[in-house]
Amino acid sequence: ENMRRPSQMMKLLVASFFGVIVGFLMGITFPTLTLTKMNLPSTLFPSIDLAYIEDKYSDLSRKTLFSSWSSTKSSKPKNDIPDPPYTYNDTKIWVPSNPRGAERLPPDIVTPESDLYLRRLWGDPNEDLKTKQRYLVTFTVGYGQRKNIDAALKKFSDNFTIMLFHYDGRASEWEEFEWSKRAIHVSIRKQTKWWYAKRFLHPDIVAPYDYIFIWDEDLGVEHFDSEKYLAVVKKHGLEISQPGLEPYEGLTWEMTKKRDDTEVHKHAEERNGWCSDPNLPPCAAFVEIMAPVFSRKAWRCVWHMIQNDLVHGWGLDFAVRKCVQNAHEKIGVVDAQWIIHQGVPSLGNQGQQEEGKQPWEGVRERCRREWTMFQDRLDEAEKAYFEASAHNNSSSSRPHR
């Protein structure tokens, strides 16, 4: 019995020795094995597709890839891999000044704004853009107005990003025009200009553009040039503007009528009782919603004023002045570059015939209703704000006991 114990001890030592040797050999050869050929449990690498990595990065060292991945995934990194300078802990990064929802991200990775620049699917991203357009022009269109839009867009330089909102669903048919291939097409049936603008022209999306044109489709531009127009806008410091309208029967406002003796005008004489103040709409601080042009700064404010359910924009033209300080000096009509309103009732015909009324009649009724609803909301919002401010001021002025 005494002889068996040394023999058993010797067998145990030999087995342990061979176990250590085999383990060592497996350890030094493991990185050279093809990971996807090993019969590893599927739960070992839950968030990485090794077959995908091997296919996409076959020209890279698998050892390098795996070691890099291990350094971030392993809770106990190998001794030859240095510890990262930070720990993966939810509480380590919390930046309150980041945009809402992004507080857990390191600030340098946060990209709060975007753009509408088209990118390639190949090559170096830093070499994608030969030029970055400084301006944006949008038209809300139906295919029936394609010739008019083609003529209009020839008046806009290559410095403009082109964006078309298609209310009739016929976006692909515009490929006949060369400029259409570089345009951005948004196709959603039977919606209005301001519906599209609210959903696709968020200030953080159009932030790269100095000026934003949000135009109707039925405008004649024979006497208009985009670059010359913006030169005048910049010269006079206009935050919100429009080209003058060639006078025609049915022109509503004196303010938007083209004048022959000025480059820009900012005031107008209206009919008696229409203007409570010469510096307020429609005698000043006023352009129509037909062909407005906004600076980046003004649009950031106006976008927030657009209501989600009031899609025709009626009433906005009387309210945009609230987005501009000294509005009667910063809102104006450019006479040196003028347009013609052709009055094509295309969008009106997108309505629905109800109760014996023509489609356009229902659309017009809703326009008027929205104007009243918008004005009521704005009045109530301002009233609530000033009442709350007065209450807070009176509370803060009371002596403390």
Side-chain angles (χ1 to χ4, degrees), residues 133-295:
Q133 291 86 13
R134 295 175 56 195
Y135 317 118
L136 172 68
V137 58
T138 76
F139 286 94
T140 300
V141 302
Y143 189 63
Q145 288 292 308
R146 61 191 179 280
K147 292 182 179 179
N148 195 56
I149 294 298
D150 179 48
L153 286 174
K154 289 175 180 176
K155 298 297 184 125
F156 288 85
S157 71
D158 291 339
N159 230 345
F160 282 81
T161 295
I162 301 168
M163 194 170 190
L164 297 187
F165 300 122
H166 300 272
Y167 60 75
D168 60 356
R170 301 177 67 178
S172 61
E173 298 176 53
W174 290 74
E175 288 294 315
E176 64 187 89
F177 302 110
E178 184 63 29
W179 52 260
S180 179
K181 298 174 183 177
R182 66 178 180 91
I184 297 170
H185 298 267
V186 177
S187 180
I188 303 170
R189 291 177 180 271
K190 295 182 182 291
Q191 299 302 320
T192 71
K193 175 167 71 173
W194 300 106
W195 185 93
Y196 296 117
K198 185 66 173 179
R199 285 148 186 86
F200 298 102
L201 300 180
H202 188 284
D204 288 346
I205 300 295
V206 299
Y209 302 108
D210 295 338
Y211 293 93
I212 301 158
F213 292 60
I214 304 179
W215 282 20
D216 289 353
E217 64 182 335
D218 59 341
L219 304 175
V221 293
E222 181 181 351
H223 306 286
F224 176 83
D225 179 275
S226 60
E227 292 286 352
K228 291 179 180 177
Y229 177 87
L230 288 176
V232 175
V233 165
K234 295 172 186 177
K235 174 182 175 182
H236 292 269
L238 300 179
E239 294 289 329
I240 301 176
S241 65
Q242 75 162 77
L245 291 176
E246 186 173 282
Y248 63 93
E249 184 179 352
L251 179 61
T252 305
W253 311 109
E254 288 295 322
M255 177 65 180
T256 56
K257 185 184 297 184
K258 172 190 173 294
R259 298 180 186 174
D260 297 326
D261 56 346
T262 60
E263 191 172 54
V264 165
H265 71 268
K266 303 174 184 177
H267 292 79
E269 292 290 332
E270 270 294 355
R271 279 159 275 193
N272 289 335
W274 279 33
C275 295
S276 59
D277 186 310
N279 287 332
L280 293 180
C283 289
F286 176 77
V287 298
E288 290 189 72
I289 57 173
M290 177 194 309
V293 178
F294 302 94
S295 71

Side-chain angles (χ1 to χ4, degrees), residues 336-397:
Q337 297 290 317
W338 75 93
I339 59 176
I340 300 171
H341 182 215
Q342 297 166 338
V344 178
S346 49
L347 185 58
N349 292 332
Q350 296 291 310
Q352 183 171 320
Q353 188 169 349
E354 290 180 339
E355 300 176 358
K357 297 178 181 178
Q358 294 300 313
W360 67 268
E361 292 181 289
V363 171
R364 182 53 60 96
E365 285 183 5
R366 170 148 179 166
C367 288
R368 294 194 179 101
R369 184 180 299 118
E370 286 194 8
W371 192 352
T372 301
M373 293 174 68
F374 179 77
Q375 191 58 55
D376 288 345
R377 290 183 191 181
L378 187 57
D379 289 345
E380 291 171 5
E382 290 186 335
K383 180 181 178 182
Y385 170 79
F386 288 118
E387 286 180 350
S389 297
H391 175 74
N392 292 337
N393 288 336
S394 63
S395 297
S396 62
S397 63

Side-chain angles (χ1 to χ4, degrees), residues 236-241 266 324-332:
H236 292 269
L238 300 179
E239 294 289 329
I240 301 176
S241 65
K266 303 174 184 177
V324 181
Q325 191 171 11
N326 297 324
H328 61 286
E329 293 295 333
K330 298 295 184 179
I331 298 178

